Amino acid sequence: MFLEYIVQLIQAMLQVLWFSQKTLSNTLNIYVKSNTGKTLSVSLDPKWDVKNVKEVIAPKLGLPPDELKIIFAGKELEDSIIIEDCDLGEQSILHAVKTKRRTSSSPATKPLNEALKDLQLANITEAEDAPLTEEEAVVERKRVHFYVYCASPCGGVREGKLRVRCSSCKSGAFTVDSDPRCWEDVLKPHKISGHCEEEACPDGAVGWAEFYFKCSEHTSQGEKDQAVPLYLIRANLREVPCLACTDVSDPVLVFPCEASHVTCLECFRQYCVTRLRERQFVSDEQLGYTLPCPAGCPDSLIAECHHFRLLTQEQYAQYQRFGAEEFVLKAGGVLCPQPGCGAGILADPDCIRITCVNGCGFVFCRLCLQGYHNGDCDSREQTAAVGSSGYSVDPHRAGAARWDEASRVTIRVMTKPCPECRTATERDGGCMHMVCTRCNFHWCWVCQTEWTRDCMGAHWFG
């Protein structure tokens, strides 16, 4: 036994020496964190596989390579996976933990391929080796991405990538028991269970996954670097026309109404600007200052205010100011009626003569919102123009601009062949990870190629 240990030690030293002498033509600088709190800065060749990475970092952690497992984005990386296929960015973080023997009461952490096999999402019919139609070929060339608002350093709407960590200790050394299937699995807590490898985790080995998003367009700034998910903005894989202009654009915004009406981002900006100019945003007690579906659908208010970051900085600042003023109005205050002002003013309930002190200085009557006057208010009805021509919706267009209806039609009429054995496959929901029940090939419904880490980061579901 002692002799075998010496031989393994010498082999490990030779492997480290070989890698240290190897010239890297293209380097990727990442961090490796162990579950004991140790952090390593490592330069890797993107062409290496995970086994090579283990052979480099294992001696630094005092472990044999075969007793080490690497975890990234909620999955254990198998030895054969190539680094450049892992959706790793500069200064990303990998988690290295020692393999443990678990009792039957503890959930086993499966290798990547084994864990992904749990979702049988394909309904297989008879084999079909027909070429793709032109419409299908257009869909194949597209890639679904998540979209986020990156406050810093990008300061705007960007493409994002999905990540996962332990909800208790916030460690990324966490493997999920199942894939997320919808936005609810990602946005709401305690939906996906998993196994935490962090020794100091207060919940122990069994815990809940916490999903979060990072901007994919700047260098990672550590595990605390995250962005706000804009879950209403989606790649228009279904070719749904815009509710307002009827053009097919990409990406689009899908309103949270029952019909899931779709609008292009340019028309959404115009809709926001028009309603902002006319102060026709809705001040909701739970959701704040927001907008409903322009088709007039009930229960369609936008819950995440960062979707309004599609406006310019000046427009968004005006949106925030108007929202604050509407809050003042609900608290018993009044808004200055002077065009271009609209400042919120808190005054005594019995005060009729109101002065816009911190705004334009206009003095007006609280009852009729006209310039202050003696005597009774003018009984003539003061009406404002409603419904600017800047954004309009044709009711006949609304029927065609429905996201869910397009999804149902697409699923009903469209199948895709397995990339490996060409067996026709029909997807009826769930995530984009497909498993062929005939040849057991793991593939991506969107890319129609082998399932990769990039697919998990960019379009794991919906």
Side-chain angles (χ1 to χ4, degrees):
M1 293 294 296
F2 180 74
L3 182 60
E4 291 180 359
Y5 176 76
I6 295 297
V7 171
Q8 291 178 356
L9 181 62
I10 294 175
Q11 289 176 344
M13 295 176 62
L14 291 175
Q15 288 169 344
V16 172
L17 180 62
W18 180 77
F19 279 110
S20 65
Q21 292 176 346
K22 186 176 180 180
T23 301
L24 303 183
S25 58
N26 184 19
T27 60
L28 178 66
N29 299 309
I30 66 169
Y31 294 101
V32 178
K33 295 185 67 174
S34 70
N35 58 338
T36 59
K38 189 173 183 179
T39 302
L40 306 175
S41 178
V42 183
S43 295
L44 305 176
D45 189 329
K47 300 296 183 183
W48 289 358
D49 57 25
V50 173
K51 183 179 180 181
N52 296 149
V53 177
K54 290 181 179 180
E55 291 169 344
V56 171
I57 66 176
K60 299 180 181 180
L61 297 176
L63 295 171
D66 58 354
E67 292 186 12
L68 197 66
K69 63 180 178 181
I70 305 296
I71 297 175
F72 179 66
K75 296 291 183 180
E76 179 183 347
L77 302 182
E78 291 186 338
D79 288 351
S80 59
I81 294 177
I82 305 301
I83 294 300
E84 64 181 359
D85 296 334
C86 291
D87 192 28
L88 278 174
E90 194 75 14
Q91 298 182 12
S92 293
I93 298 176
L94 294 177
H95 290 265
V97 298
K98 183 179 180 180
T99 303
K100 297 178 181 178
R101 290 185 177 271
R102 299 184 181 86
T103 63
S104 58
S105 61
S106 300
T109 302
K110 301 178 182 179
L112 179 63
N113 286 347
E114 291 299 323
L116 295 178
K117 287 178 183 177
D118 290 340
L119 293 178
Q120 300 294 332
L121 303 176
N123 295 325
I124 306 300
T125 60
E126 59 182 289
E128 181 180 14
D129 198 12
L132 295 176
T133 65
E134 182 178 352
E135 180 181 358
E136 291 173 335
V138 172
V139 173
E140 293 308 318
R141 290 194 294 269
K142 291 191 175 182
R143 296 293 181 268
V144 179
H145 289 277
F146 300 119
Y147 291 88
V148 299
Y149 171 69
C150 177
S152 177
C154 298
V157 178
R158 299 290 188 269
E159 289 185 358
K161 49 191 177 183
L162 180 61
R163 294 291 181 259
V164 63
R165 61 193 172 199
C166 174
S167 64
S168 180
C169 67
K170 310 302 180 184
S171 171
F174 188 90
T175 53
V176 295
D177 292 334
S178 62
D179 295 344
R181 299 171 62 90
C182 59
W183 275 106
E184 184 177 354
D185 289 346
V186 171
L187 297 178
K188 293 186 177 181
H190 296 176
K191 286 290 184 178
I192 303 292
S193 61
H195 182 84
C196 184
E197 300 283 355
E198 194 70 33
E199 293 181 352
C201 182
D203 287 348
V206 181
W208 294 100
E210 179 181 292
F211 292 92
Y212 65 102
F213 289 81
K214 304 182 75 170
C215 175
S216 62
E217 299 186 24
H218 70 260
T219 301
S220 175
Q221 298 176 338
E223 290 185 310
K224 294 184 179 181
D225 177 27
Q226 61 185 80
V228 180
L230 303 181
Y231 50 87
L232 298 181
I233 300 178
R234 306 174 189 175
N236 195 5
L237 189 68
R238 303 167 187 174
E239 304 284 351
V240 184
C242 172
L243 181 68
C245 69
T246 71
D247 290 341
V248 176
S249 304
D250 186 34
V252 293
L253 185 137
V254 183
F255 284 95
C257 54
E258 185 177 357
S260 298
H261 285 123
V262 171
T263 184
C264 67
L265 299 189
E266 186 57 39
C267 285
F268 177 71
R269 292 187 188 97
Q270 185 62 40
Y271 172 52
C272 294
V273 171
T274 301
R275 296 300 183 264
L276 190 64
R277 185 169 57 244
E278 299 171 356
R279 296 193 74 117
Q280 291 184 359
F281 271 61
V282 176
S283 185
D284 184 82
E285 292 184 359
Q286 300 295 328
L287 306 180
Y289 204 47
T290 184
L291 281 176
C293 172
C297 301
D299 302 323
S300 61
L301 294 176
I302 296 175
E304 177 51 72
C305 67
H306 285 88
H307 286 93
F308 301 120
R309 284 287 187 176
L310 289 167
L311 299 169
T312 64
Q313 291 186 356
E314 294 77 11
Q315 292 166 345
Y316 188 77
Q318 186 181 44
Y319 157 78
Q320 290 182 307
R321 182 167 66 89
F322 284 1
E325 291 168 359
E326 290 293 338
F327 178 81
V328 171
L329 188 62
K330 282 199 167 187
V334 293
L335 299 178
C336 176
Q338 190 75 342
C341 182
I345 305 166
L346 286 174
D348 294 334
D350 56 351
C351 180
I352 303 301
R353 185 179 185 274
I354 307 294
T355 303
C356 185
V357 177
N358 296 321
C360 64
F362 182 55
V363 181
F364 61 96
C365 172
R366 183 175 193 151
L367 300 179
C368 65
L369 300 182
Q370 302 300 308
Y372 184 74
H373 55 85
N374 292 320
D376 295 336
C377 299
D378 191 341
S379 60
R380 290 175 298 177
E381 184 178 1
Q382 303 292 332
T383 59
V386 178
S388 168
S389 59
Y391 186 90
S392 61
V393 173
D394 184 347
H396 297 290
R397 298 175 183 172
R402 297 185 178 187
W403 183 264
D404 290 340
E405 179 62 24
S407 175
R408 285 190 286 269
V409 171
T410 300
I411 292 173
R412 186 168 60 250
V413 304
M414 183 175 171
T415 63
K416 296 183 181 181
C418 168
E420 186 73 11
C421 67
R422 310 303 294 173
T423 299
T425 304
E426 181 181 1
R427 175 177 171 268
D428 60 357
C431 71
M432 298 299 174
H433 173 222
M434 314 298 292
V435 182
C436 180
T437 58
R438 173 170 293 181
C439 68
N440 207 35
F441 183 69
H442 291 249
W443 57 284
C444 176
W445 178 263
V446 176
C447 307
Q448 207 171 356
T449 57
E450 186 176 4
W451 181 258
T452 65
R453 304 290 300 183
D454 183 62
C455 298
M456 291 176 60
H459 46 263
W460 204 345
F461 63 93

